Amino acid sequence: MSAVLPPSDDTAGQPLPAAIGGLDPYALDPAGLEALVAELGEPRYRADQLRGWLVRGVDDPQEMTDLPTRLRDRLAARFAPTRPELVAHTVADDGHTHKLLLRFPDGEAIETVLMLYPDRATVCISTQAGCAMGCPFCATGQAGFRRQLTAGEVVRQVVVADAALRSGVIGEQDLPDGAPTRVTNVVFMGMGEPLANLPATLATVRWLHDPDGFNLSARAITVSTVGLVPGITRLAELGLPVTLAVSLHAATDALRDDLVPVNRQHPLAEVEEAMASYRRTTNRRVSIEWCLIGDVNDDEEQADRLGAFARRLRAHVNVIPMNPTPGVRWKEPTPARVRSFVDRLERRGATVTLRDTRGRDADAACGQLLASYTLGAGSRLPASVGAADRIDATGRVALPGAGS
Ligand code: SAH
Ligand code: SF4
């Protein structure tokens, strides 16, 4: 169906391949659209007009009424937009959290979440169908990797959310009164590992930041990663100080090897150096995500080590109590454990935010809506829940070599 595009981060500003059939317009970043317009022999400002339509969610060239008919026809011959279908929609927080399950024409489904606040509208987007990283507390990680999303499929999620805000309607629901009318923030915290799909992630960041695109400031964009060091370096080279959030979850290599298996390739010291370097290059404060799991990573030793790690980097820590996931025996910590963990971190000099668990009743943890949808359709979740199987009877992680 849609053509396999060359990675836009490597091709920005370069000539387009001679024969592209079935091009998803959102798969071209702003420089790619300019190259396309130039190739069609049209002046550069036509690319600005084209971008303006695409940002407003219009992907059918015949509806782009300020373009000459000849150009509309030629674009229509080139474009084959990959339009997703809304196959499930859950609402939580009194209409302020909307979780969408979007299915692409090949049948792959991904989650996009729109979160409304009085002063902002944040979209949480997916970069992969599934994820290969295998974090045992994450529903997406349990289901495994399906495929990369194209840049167009990632950008499209923002387009869908932005169109909903403009119209005040999402799916079949009206948005609450006073909801923002544009997307103001984007977080790459949906399904998948953004830095394992760099071409799509970087092209999307360009779309988001481009003044004729979504015109978001770099600080309104957060890329969350499990700590893929080469990707962090590439993100720094983009020259846009987007917020980097690293999902740490453990402050010792022994525990992190279990909770975040890619730690075996990029251990903590390497991740810390990459974070320090990102901060130096971009002059942006980095964040640490800590999914707090009862009796797994909520003890005093982890708090002390995390506090020291955060202080060295002057990083902000977001503590998110684990959202219970079917098939995972781990539990969210008790409120008392959460409080004492956060207090201890603060006493160690870290700046901490305890995140609300938005959309708990909307299957909001990463991958959960897809899991319920799939189960509802009669399929089964994969039996394997990775390292979650390695917890012993006390609920503690059985560390490698611990003899269990
Ligand atoms: N792959 C990237 C981004 C997507 S996951 C990453 O891991 O950073 C986004 C965030 O959701 C991560 O911080 C992840 O650890 C967290 N998460 C996954 N499953 C969760 C759960 N069950 N409860 C709370 N947070 C969870
Ligand atoms: Fe992938 Fe992030 Fe889930 Fe880990 S937490 S499995 S990296 S989506």
Side-chain angles (χ1 to χ4, degrees), residues 216-268:
L216 298 185
S217 77
R219 63 183 53 231
I221 304 167
T222 300
V223 174
S224 176
T225 175
V226 80
L228 298 187
V229 169
I232 294 175
T233 308
R234 291 290 303 282
L235 190 64
E237 287 165 1
L238 188 64
L240 296 176
V242 301
T243 304
L244 174 72
V246 174
S247 295
L248 212 63
H249 310 319
T252 52
D253 280 317
L255 180 59
R256 198 162 191 266
D257 282 352
D258 259 21
L259 295 186
V260 186
V262 77
N263 193 65
R264 293 170 200 157
Q265 276 85 59
H266 302 291
L268 278 166

Side-chain angles (χ1 to χ4, degrees), residues 71-83:
L71 178 57
R72 282 191 238 167
D73 290 343
R74 296 182 77 182
L75 289 174
R78 296 291 283 273
F79 285 171
T82 309
R83 298 188 185 119

Side-chain angles (χ1 to χ4, degrees), residues 100-123:
L100 312 177
L101 189 67
L102 301 175
R103 188 171 60 200
F104 292 106
D106 71 346
E108 288 300 341
I110 52 110
E111 297 175 357
T112 305
V113 187
L114 175 61
M115 290 163 285
L116 305 174
Y117 303 87
D119 55 339
R120 63 189 203 281
T122 300
V123 196

Side-chain angles (χ1 to χ4, degrees), residues 22-320:
L23 186 61
D24 183 357
Y26 294 106
L28 290 177
D29 65 8
L33 286 172
E34 279 175 22
L36 174 64
V37 163
E39 193 193 289
L40 297 176
E42 297 283 341
R44 194 173 170 278
Y45 71 89
R46 296 288 185 209
D48 300 338
Q49 289 174 300
L50 180 53
R51 269 203 300 266
W53 287 107
L54 292 172
V55 164
R56 293 199 297 279
V58 176
D59 63 10
D60 178 354
Q62 300 303 358
E63 292 176 27
M64 300 179 181
T65 45
D66 59 357
L67 298 183
T69 318
R70 199 179 57 107
L71 178 57
R72 282 191 238 167
D73 290 343
R74 296 182 77 182
L75 289 174
R78 296 291 283 273
F79 285 171
T82 309
R83 298 188 185 119
E85 193 190 340
L86 179 62
V87 290
H89 176 189
T90 51
V91 186
D93 305 318
D94 240 351
H96 290 81
T97 302
H98 292 261
K99 186 153 190 169
L100 312 177
L101 189 67
L102 301 175
R103 188 171 60 200
F104 292 106
D106 71 346
E108 288 300 341
I110 52 110
E111 297 175 357
T112 305
V113 187
L114 175 61
M115 290 163 285
L116 305 174
Y117 303 87
D119 55 339
R120 63 189 203 281
T122 300
V123 196
C124 174
I125 57 175
S126 297
T127 51
Q128 300 179 314
C131 183
M133 298 296 143
C135 307
F137 52 86
C138 169
T140 307
Q142 288 172 52
F145 178 74
R146 306 276 302 175
R147 70 165 169 83
Q148 298 284 25
L149 299 188
T150 65
E153 290 168 337
V154 183
V155 174
R156 176 71 75 162
Q157 299 168 59
V158 184
V159 173
V160 165
D162 203 56
L165 291 168
R166 285 171 194 271
S167 68
V169 178
I170 186 161
E172 291 173 358
Q173 301 254 337
D174 288 334
L175 290 175
D177 288 342
T181 53
R182 297 294 312 271
V183 167
T184 62
N185 296 71
V186 175
V187 295
F188 289 70
M189 289 189 181
M191 301 169 78
E193 165 51 45
L195 299 186
N197 187 4
L198 267 173
T201 295
L202 298 181
T204 303
V205 169
R206 288 196 193 97
W207 260 108
L208 296 176
H209 188 257
D210 188 90
D212 295 316
F214 291 91
N215 195 24
L216 298 185
S217 77
R219 63 183 53 231
I221 304 167
T222 300
V223 174
S224 176
T225 175
V226 80
L228 298 187
V229 169
I232 294 175
T233 308
R234 291 290 303 282
L235 190 64
E237 287 165 1
L238 188 64
L240 296 176
V242 301
T243 304
L244 174 72
V246 174
S247 295
L248 212 63
H249 310 319
T252 52
D253 280 317
L255 180 59
R256 198 162 191 266
D257 282 352
D258 259 21
L259 295 186
V260 186
V262 77
N263 193 65
R264 293 170 200 157
Q265 276 85 59
H266 302 291
L268 278 166
E270 206 188 315
V271 172
E272 180 174 349
E273 176 46 38
M275 292 171 78
S277 163
Y278 189 85
R279 195 196 148 104
R280 280 194 302 272
T281 311
T282 60
N283 211 17
R284 238 359 235 132
R285 188 160 79 154
V286 291
S287 298
I288 294 169
E289 305 290 307
W290 191 278
C291 171
L292 197 64
I293 310 172
D295 295 326
V296 172
N297 64 356
D298 62 347
D299 54 79
E300 293 180 348
E301 186 200 354
Q302 290 295 326
D304 290 347
R305 286 176 182 267
L306 169 60
F309 189 103
R311 215 181 45 235
R312 287 197 296 277
L313 289 168
R314 280 169 290 154
H316 187 91
V317 183
N318 291 307
V319 172
I320 313 133

